[in-house]
Amino acid sequence: MGAMRTIKAELRRPDGQPVRVLVVDDESTLAELMTMALRMEKWDVRTALDGSTAVRTAREFKPDAVVLDVMLPDFDGFEVLRRMRAEQPNLPVLFLTAKDAVEDRIAGLTAGGDDYVTKPFSLEEVVLRLRALMRRTGVTEEDAGARLVVGDLQLNEDTREVTRGGEQISLTATEFELLRYLMSNPRRVLSKAQILDRVWSYDFGGQANIVELYISYLRKKIDAGRAPMIHTMRGAGYVLKPSA
């Protein structure tokens, strides 16, 4: 029962080769961190620190997806996207924007970016968004749905099915996102602020009591009549771990 693992289907190109991702960000440390996180997915990753290098690299590398910072030293991410799409019309792009740059986000999506994350972001979020993007645009194939497994609790990220001890559990969209966040961080105490930011993000400016409410909803579905997996850490937050 103490087993805890993440099973992720390996995304690959239709020809069986590793997925190719181009990371474009002028902050070299951040670009390096993203590259390391994406290589852990067994993806082939290249980086570029400015727009002109990014366009040239994309031409040679033919990426399956691009992580693209809006603010670059030579020309902005929107111009980079325009030049890349001239050669690869359906190239999926995940924009990186500043937290307060709402106009950037709107402009990015209007300019044809497929999704965006705001800085600061978690590397896990970038990986999840990229996986979703590439599945959505059909540039990859995978063997099975990406699953999170903690003890006897399983969550399939593609089919959105959740089971505990083999028994199906029906969740709302918000309950699913909350459980996915808890299961992505097993044994780790997550504060209400972290949960609010990750699950409700910029769509919700509410109070922390919404977290308590949804934790109680989840407990009724996940823990009712079973050994509890969701625990409250007084003054700290919540933790999900395999039942003893």
Side-chain angles (χ1 to χ4, degrees):
M1 293 292 284
M4 174 177 60
R5 64 199 188 279
T6 300
I7 301 173
K8 276 195 174 176
E10 195 177 310
L11 281 183
R12 301 187 80 81
R13 294 163 67 102
D15 62 4
Q17 294 298 308
V19 162
R20 295 177 189 170
V21 180
L22 174 59
V23 173
V24 187
D25 197 308
D26 63 336
E27 295 177 57
S28 56
T29 307
L30 183 56
E32 200 173 311
L33 283 171
M34 281 192 283
T35 299
M36 284 168 61
L38 300 180
R39 282 187 176 147
M40 284 177 72
E41 297 287 310
K42 298 193 174 83
W43 296 349
D44 188 359
V45 187
R46 302 274 175 90
T47 58
L49 301 180
D50 58 55
S52 52
T53 307
V55 173
R56 191 169 63 249
T57 305
R59 190 174 295 129
E60 299 160 1
F61 184 48
K62 294 282 189 290
D64 296 302
V66 180
V67 181
L68 182 56
D69 193 7
V70 170
M71 300 298 291
L72 293 168
D74 47 2
F75 43 88
D76 67 25
F78 308 134
E79 177 61 18
V80 173
L81 175 62
R82 192 187 66 75
R83 295 188 190 191
M84 286 180 179
R85 285 264 174 88
E87 299 192 26
Q88 282 183 266
N90 300 314
L91 182 63
V93 170
L94 176 67
F95 270 125
L96 308 177
T97 76
K99 190 85 174 176
D100 56 354
V102 179
E103 299 82 7
D104 277 357
R105 297 205 290 269
I106 294 164
L109 295 171
T110 307
D114 301 282
D115 201 355
Y116 60 85
V117 291
T118 51
K119 295 182 177 182
F121 49 78
S122 71
L123 294 172
E124 174 214 351
E125 183 178 8
V126 169
V127 171
L128 285 173
R129 296 283 188 99
L130 277 176
R131 287 178 72 91
L133 259 189
M134 287 188 282
R135 281 199 301 270
R136 205 161 74 214
T137 50
V139 295
T140 61
E141 61 176 21
E142 54 188 333
D143 301 323
R147 287 185 296 148
L148 296 175
V149 181
V150 180
D152 62 347
L153 185 63
Q154 293 196 24
L155 178 150
N156 187 306
E157 294 185 311
D158 292 339
T159 64
R160 300 183 82 80
E161 291 175 347
V162 175
T163 60
R164 182 162 180 198
E167 189 180 323
Q168 197 87 18
I169 296 167
S170 176
L171 299 180
T172 66
T174 303
E175 289 165 353
F176 181 88
E177 289 305 324
L178 175 56
L179 182 62
R180 175 158 68 175
Y181 185 44
L182 292 170
M183 290 183 71
S184 297
N185 296 276
R187 298 189 192 277
R188 182 177 156 206
V189 179
L190 300 169
S191 69
K192 288 179 184 175
Q194 284 175 304
I195 294 171
L196 258 183
D197 186 57
R198 179 66 181 83
V199 178
W200 280 270
S201 63
Y202 46 80
D203 296 325
F204 186 85
Q207 301 304 309
N209 60 5
I210 193 80
V211 176
E212 292 171 28
L213 184 64
Y214 272 86
I215 288 284
S216 74
Y217 292 161
L218 258 192
R219 278 188 169 130
K220 285 173 187 166
K221 295 184 177 183
I222 301 298
D223 288 344
R226 306 178 178 98
M229 293 183 71
I230 301 169
H231 303 272
T232 302
M233 310 302 284
R234 295 277 170 226
Y238 301 96
V239 61
L240 180 137
K241 52 190 177 182
S243 51

